[in-house]
């Protein structure tokens, strides 16, 4: 079976039947179960590795996967017995790892290196692990993690974690069902037993996991991958959740892809017409470019200013629709000076293009039963901005903000109190996409993030409203009496 477009293993395939459900995919409706599947590469979430685990658990996995370019999300399939081949690959040397390391992890890294055409390994400075929410990893992921913890497997590199499916201390207040909470706590406990830090955020760079330019790291969470490569200038591939655990235990990763300077050169030049303003416009621009060039390294020209939060939103958008690991913004990001490849394509992007994506990602005109902000997790300055917009107003529907526990602890008591008395709830450790919102009774969810809009629909099976934060506050709050 030949897939003519990239596929998301997390939300593009039914885990029980293997049927492709990714909207607009050319092979939509066909099943990968039991077939030899040739595909360009995967896109979207790095938690897709657990999507492959689920397919294997339900007997709906492909018989073999042939990749046209290596990606560690798909290569993780080998850990559950699905053979993966990359066109044109050859055998790599075994990594030299000392200490008590599971044999299958060493073999897995060697296999990845072989498939990717890598000849050497590099010691990684830090690891960030996605696939923490029980919503996305299910029983297949829980059993895998508990099995490792049971065997006494430990990480040897500082490793942070992505959001879980609930606020670990306020899950009852969120309305998370007991049976979900029990499984979620087991997932986090298994990770902690392995020595992994339960930071539970997709913005590890705001909570101390802050690599420097040129440092080699191994990060999952596609939005964080784009951020660490593009804004911090460190080097990682878009690592599958399982591969990141392997690298944290072994301490090494094969050198290929984004670890090599020649692959970091711009391969698409995007001229932006009109000033991009606010995180929503940046996230829409990223989303559109990810759709047009799923595996490109885009160079944006014509952008005069881009805040850290706007770049975080841009990277999340591009990594949600495509698999963009690195982008450059002329005059702003640290490697913007790299010379474009000779065959770099050129396109221009206008505000009208962004409006079209915004309309496409909104699925309903009905009012929301929940407004959510914080994809990726909110920074301190974003929370202060929302606080300023809420002055003198009160939410007219449930209004939830998502951030890390560390960021939450840095907010002043007054800001928290004022937001809460305006009807705004601040939750840590989780987000609107990986919390089980549908099971909690929500049907229509509003957000300001293109990434969240995509996954709320495809993974959460919810109706979605997408608009900028200012408009959300304007429409779904009233003047406080
Ligand atoms: Fe983060 Fe959840 Fe969005 S993990 S990037 S807030 S989907």
């Amino acid at each position: 079976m030949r897939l003519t477009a990239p596929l998301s293993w997390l939300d593009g395939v039914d885990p029980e039947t293997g049927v492709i459900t990714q909207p607009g995919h050319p092979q939509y409706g066909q099943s990968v179960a039991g077939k030899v599947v040739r595909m360009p590469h995967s896109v979207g979430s790095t938690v897709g590795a657990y999507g492959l685990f689920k397919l294997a658990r339900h007997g709906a996995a492909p018989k073999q996967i042939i990749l046209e370019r290596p990606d560690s999300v798909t290569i993780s399939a080998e850990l559950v017995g699905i053979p993966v081949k990359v066109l044109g690959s050859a055998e790599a040397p075994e990594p030299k790892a000392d200490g008590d390391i599971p044999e299958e992890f060493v073999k897995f890294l060697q296999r990845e290196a072989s498939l990717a055409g890598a000849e050497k390994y590099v010691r990684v400075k830090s690891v960030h692990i996605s696939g923490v929410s029980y919503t996305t990893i299910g029983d297949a992921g829980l059993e895998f993690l508990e099995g490792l913890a049971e065997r006494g497997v430990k990480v040897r590199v500082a490793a942070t974690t992505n959001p879980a499916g609930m606020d670990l201390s306020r899950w009852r207040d969120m309305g998370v069902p007991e049976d979900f909470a029990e499984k979620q706590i087991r997932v986090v406990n298994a990770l902690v037993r392995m020595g992994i830090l339960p930071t539970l955020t997709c913005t590890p760079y705001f909570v101390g996991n802050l690599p420097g330019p040129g440092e080699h790291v191994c990060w999952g969470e596609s939005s964080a991958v784009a951020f660490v490569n593009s804004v911090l200038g460190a080097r990682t591939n878009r690592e599958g959740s399982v591969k990141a655990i392997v690298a944290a235990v072994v301490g090494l990763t094969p050198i290929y892809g984004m670890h090599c300077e020649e692959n970091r050169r711009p391969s698409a030049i995007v001229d932006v017409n009109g000033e991009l303003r606010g995180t929503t416009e940046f996230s829409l621009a990223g989303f559109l470019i990810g759709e047009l060039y799923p595996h490109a390294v885009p160079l944006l020209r014509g952008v005069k200013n881009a805040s850290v939060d706007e770049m975080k939103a841009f990277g999340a958008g591009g990594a949600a629709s495509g698999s963009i690991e690195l982008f450059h913004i002329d005059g702003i990001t640290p490697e913007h000076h790299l010379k474009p490849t000779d065959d770099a394509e050129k396109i221009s992007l206008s505000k009208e293009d962004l409006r079209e994506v915004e309309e496409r990602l909104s699925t309903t005109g009905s009012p929301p039963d929940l407004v959510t902000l914080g994809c990726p997790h909110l920074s301190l300055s974003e929370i202060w901005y929302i606080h300023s917009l809420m002055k003198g107003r009160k939410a007219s529907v449930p209004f939830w903000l998502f951030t890390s526990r560390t960021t939450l602890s840095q907010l002043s008591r007054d800001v928290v109190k004022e937001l809460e008395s305006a009807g705004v709830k601040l939750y840590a450790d989780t987000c609107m996409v990986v919390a089980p919102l549908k099971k909690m009774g929500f049907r229509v969810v509003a957000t300001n993030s293109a990434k969240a809009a995509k996954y709320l629909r495809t993974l959460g099976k919810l109706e979605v409203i997408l608009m900028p934060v200012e408009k959300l506050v304007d429409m779904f709050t009233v003047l406080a009496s």
Side-chain angles (χ1 to χ4, degrees):
M1 178 183 191
R2 183 161 189 179
L3 305 189
T4 50
L7 182 67
S8 166
W9 291 113
L10 177 66
D11 61 329
V13 185
D14 182 313
E16 293 184 10
T17 60
V19 170
I20 295 176
T21 54
Q22 187 167 303
H25 195 282
Q27 281 74 44
Y28 182 89
Q30 296 180 35
S31 173
V32 298
K35 298 188 181 141
V36 175
V37 175
R38 175 172 168 171
M39 60 187 286
H41 54 87
S42 71
V43 281
S45 174
T46 54
V47 190
Y50 286 118
L52 286 155
F53 279 32
K54 288 182 195 168
L55 286 169
R57 190 184 162 89
H58 291 110
K63 189 167 152 198
Q64 185 186 20
I65 302 172
I66 300 171
L67 285 168
E68 287 162 18
R69 64 161 68 227
D71 82 80
S72 88
V73 174
T74 306
I75 293 171
S76 307
E78 292 236 326
L79 283 170
V80 281
I82 308 166
V84 180
K85 203 172 139 189
V86 177
L87 294 178
S89 59
E91 188 73 355
E94 191 172 301
K96 287 197 178 34
D98 24 81
D100 190 15
I101 290 177
E103 180 62 20
E104 74 267 28
F105 280 16
V106 175
K107 288 273 167 246
F108 175 81
L109 279 190
Q110 183 183 17
R111 186 83 184 116
E112 184 195 359
S114 304
L115 293 173
E119 289 169 359
K120 288 186 182 155
Y121 302 85
V122 67
R123 207 155 276 288
V124 291
K125 190 93 181 178
S126 76
V127 168
H128 181 69
I129 294 165
S130 61
V132 177
S133 167
Y134 179 70
T135 303
T136 52
I137 71 171
D139 287 325
L142 173 61
E143 279 165 21
F144 174 73
L145 295 173
E146 285 192 329
L148 295 178
E150 217 43 54
R151 285 164 61 192
V153 172
K154 298 272 185 220
V155 297
R156 53 175 58 200
V157 175
T160 48
T161 43
N162 234 26
M166 61 190 201
D167 186 313
L168 286 197
S169 46
R170 295 180 68 199
W171 57 270
R172 283 196 177 85
D173 180 65
M174 286 179 75
V176 172
E178 294 269 347
D179 56 338
F180 180 95
E182 185 260 324
K183 299 258 176 106
Q184 183 59 72
I185 290 165
R186 279 171 55 193
V187 172
V188 175
N189 283 345
L191 292 164
V192 170
R193 281 161 68 198
M194 292 166 67
I196 296 165
L197 297 164
T199 49
L200 304 177
T201 178
C202 48
T203 55
Y205 39 87
F206 288 154
V207 304
N209 191 349
L210 192 67
E215 282 183 352
H216 295 274
V217 296
C218 189
W219 282 25
E221 171 46 44
S222 57
S223 69
V225 168
F227 190 94
V228 76
N229 273 319
S230 316
V231 182
L232 301 181
R235 297 182 173 195
T236 183
N237 287 323
R238 169 179 159 266
E239 303 291 7
S241 19
V242 178
K243 154 65 195 296
I245 293 178
V246 171
V249 171
V250 182
L252 301 169
T253 196
I255 302 178
Y256 69 97
M258 287 297 121
H259 291 283
C260 309
E261 179 148 327
E262 66 268 24
N263 298 325
R264 299 175 69 88
R265 292 168 60 193
S267 56
I269 299 172
V270 183
D271 285 315
V272 180
N273 298 323
E275 188 75 356
L276 294 179
R277 282 209 190 91
T279 55
T280 302
E281 285 198 353
F282 273 85
S283 83
L284 290 166
F287 197 90
L288 180 59
I289 295 166
E291 279 185 329
L292 294 171
Y293 301 110
H295 201 76
V297 176
L299 166 66
L300 269 66
R301 298 193 304 202
V303 174
K304 292 191 193 73
N305 291 298
S307 69
V308 164
D309 292 321
E310 287 166 337
M311 289 191 279
K312 152 168 92 81
F314 179 87
S321 59
S323 59
I324 290 181
E325 298 162 295
L326 167 67
F327 61 87
H328 305 294
I329 305 181
D330 196 20
I332 296 179
T333 55
E335 292 168 283
H336 71 102
H337 56 274
L338 289 177
K339 192 172 168 292
T341 56
D342 295 339
D343 56 355
E345 287 190 50
K346 281 192 189 151
I347 55 157
S348 61
L349 183 150
S350 68
K351 294 267 194 170
E352 289 69 54
D353 298 328
L354 302 186
R355 291 294 81 79
E356 185 275 319
V357 184
E358 186 176 340
E359 276 167 27
R360 190 154 41 86
L361 288 172
S362 296
T363 63
T364 181
S366 305
D369 42 30
L370 176 66
V371 175
T372 59
L373 302 172
C375 174
H377 269 175
L378 295 166
S379 66
L380 270 181
S381 48
E382 286 177 298
I383 300 176
W384 287 330
Y385 181 56
I386 296 163
H387 174 254
S388 73
L389 293 175
M390 290 300 295
K391 276 254 152 73
R393 307 194 69 86
K394 204 161 175 51
S396 54
V397 289
F399 207 109
W400 293 3
L401 311 189
F402 296 101
T403 188
S404 67
R405 193 158 288 276
T406 306
T407 300
L408 200 52
S409 73
Q410 290 163 348
L411 279 173
S412 77
R413 279 307 307 157
D414 286 349
V415 169
V416 174
K417 258 202 215 144
E418 282 161 23
L419 281 170
E420 280 176 356
S421 55
V424 176
K425 300 233 178 187
L426 285 139
Y427 289 118
D429 312 327
T430 187
C431 78
M432 66 292 267
V433 170
V434 298
L437 293 188
K438 191 152 191 179
K439 281 193 191 148
M440 290 152 63
F442 295 107
R443 291 288 169 269
V444 181
V445 178
T447 180
N448 64 337
S449 151
K451 173 173 178 173
K454 178 206 166 187
Y455 286 117
L456 283 167
R457 175 164 68 116
T458 56
L459 194 64
K461 315 283 182 227
L462 293 152
E463 296 293 342
V464 181
I465 297 164
L466 171 62
M467 53 179 69
V469 58
E470 297 81 1
K471 214 163 157 192
L472 288 171
V473 170
D474 192 43
M475 289 184 69
F476 306 115
T477 65
V478 290
L479 286 175
S481 49

